[in-house]
Amino acid sequence: MALTIHTNYSSLLTQTNLNKTNNALAVNQQRLGTGLRINSSADDAAGLQIATRLGSQSKGMAVALRNVSDASSLLQTADGAFGEMTDILQRMKDISTQAANSTNGADDRKSMQAEYDELGKELGNIMVNTSYAGEKLLGRTGGTGKFGAAMGFQIGASKEEVLTLNVKTQSEAVGTALGNVSASYSAPAAAGAELATSGSANTNIDKLTAALDAVGKLRGQFGASINRLAHTANNLSNMKDNTEMARGRIMDADFASESAMSSKNSMLMQSGISMLKQTAQMPQMVMSLLG
């Protein structure tokens, strides 16, 4: 290599490599400081695009999980109300069965009718006042609350992932059946005459059986949807965890690797600075030739 005064090739080459090492060290320090391998699109443009899609999907599934929990809570609230109605109807059926026995006198049947009427009022109270987040679910006729129309539960991060629940027909059937078994259900101030005679009490048994069947069918629909939502939640959790792992493999910094590279680049910086000092002495060697 020629000795010149104007151009110090060794110094220029050392400076270039020193700049490269300094940039690499800055990247190492940034990754160690943020914990992320990709801090700008320049770090990995394709990786950032993939990670952004994965992040969006993961966040959508997290919201969907909350939606599933809310939907389950709503259905469990309704199922709990119908569970209590089932117990009430069963008690009303027991009373009717007892009243159908001719061993009972008029006073006995009046006492039974009084309890029967109060149970009918409570059925109406449950149907009218059962609510979730301040919104009525049922309505006395079974078709005026939230269940009076089809409901759509967003159970995934895409528009196709929707659980549709339409129990309007079953809900109305329950309202009709309850109206058939108790006068006090739809008119709380009125006393019923369902148990006035053993014959009317006997006839009422079939009506109560029909009401229990109607409630059972509706609860069956709720139970099926609740079970599906439980599996949906499990699947969403699994997909979300794996999506987060995939995103992490793209975005997260490998601290062991970055620490090793940082140490390497730090040593290269130190040696580069040392060599830069020595290359600055090259023009002085020319002066020695001139005596």
Side-chain angles (χ1 to χ4, degrees):
M1 183 176 63
L3 294 176
T4 66
I5 295 177
H6 291 289
T7 303
N8 188 339
Y9 178 76
S10 297
S11 177
L12 294 175
L13 185 62
T14 301
Q15 290 180 56
T16 298
N17 289 328
L18 194 58
N19 285 332
K20 290 180 180 179
T21 302
N22 184 51
N23 291 334
L25 181 60
V27 171
N28 295 143
Q29 292 173 338
Q30 184 182 38
R31 289 175 176 174
L32 290 171
T34 62
L36 297 174
R37 186 181 71 86
I38 303 176
N39 291 282
S40 70
S41 58
D43 293 334
D44 186 350
L48 180 62
Q49 183 181 15
I50 296 171
T52 299
R53 289 202 306 270
L54 291 173
S56 175
Q57 183 180 2
S58 177
K59 290 181 182 298
M61 286 187 288
V63 176
L65 269 170
R66 293 198 296 271
N67 288 348
V68 168
S69 296
D70 291 342
S72 295
S73 296
L74 182 147
L75 295 181
Q76 286 167 354
T77 298
D79 184 59
F82 281 112
E84 191 60 35
M85 290 170 63
T86 299
D87 293 340
I88 292 173
L89 287 169
Q90 187 59 58
R91 175 56 184 163
M92 294 172 77
K93 185 172 181 290
D94 291 344
I95 296 173
S96 295
T97 303
Q98 184 180 3
N101 195 357
S102 296
T103 59
N104 297 295
D107 290 338
D108 297 329
R109 289 198 175 89
K110 285 182 181 179
S111 297
M112 295 176 192
Q113 185 68 54
E115 180 183 355
Y116 191 95
D117 290 341
E118 291 303 314
L119 293 174
K121 291 176 185 179
E122 184 55 27
L123 286 175
N125 177 58
I126 293 174
M127 286 290 284
V128 171
N129 295 315
T130 298
S131 60
Y132 179 82
E135 292 192 63
K136 301 295 177 64
L137 298 182
L138 306 167
R140 193 180 300 276
T141 61
T144 57
K146 289 183 73 69
F147 293 126
M151 302 179 67
F153 301 126
Q154 185 66 43
I155 58 173
S158 62
K159 67 177 183 179
E160 293 82 8
E161 296 175 274
V162 177
L163 187 157
T164 301
L165 177 67
N166 188 350
V167 293
K168 184 176 187 296
T169 301
Q170 296 96 318
S171 181
E172 288 175 344
V174 169
T176 300
L178 295 181
N180 290 336
V181 299
S182 175
S184 61
Y185 166 76
S186 55
E194 295 84 5
L195 311 182
T197 65
S198 60
S200 61
N202 183 271
T203 301
N204 205 46
I205 293 174
D206 285 343
K207 294 180 180 180
L208 285 162
T209 300
L212 284 166
D213 289 343
V215 172
K217 288 179 182 178
L218 185 52
R219 291 191 70 191
Q221 185 63 54
F222 287 148
S225 297
I226 291 170
N227 286 338
R228 177 183 171 181
L229 288 171
H231 290 294
T232 300
N234 292 338
N235 186 49
L236 281 172
S237 296
N238 176 62
M239 290 193 297
K240 180 178 179 298
D241 291 344
N242 284 287
T243 301
E244 285 288 347
M245 286 292 294
R247 181 178 180 275
R249 283 191 289 269
I250 297 172
M251 291 293 295
D252 294 348
D254 183 340
F255 271 71
S257 174
E258 294 299 333
S259 295
M261 291 299 295
S262 178
S263 298
K264 170 189 171 183
N265 289 325
S266 292
M267 288 187 289
L268 287 174
M269 279 287 294
Q270 293 174 20
S271 63
I273 292 172
S274 177
M275 290 302 101
L276 187 60
K277 290 180 181 178
Q278 295 186 31
T279 57
Q281 299 174 6
M282 294 295 290
Q284 297 178 9
M285 297 176 64
V286 178
M287 296 302 296
S288 66
L289 294 174
L290 298 177

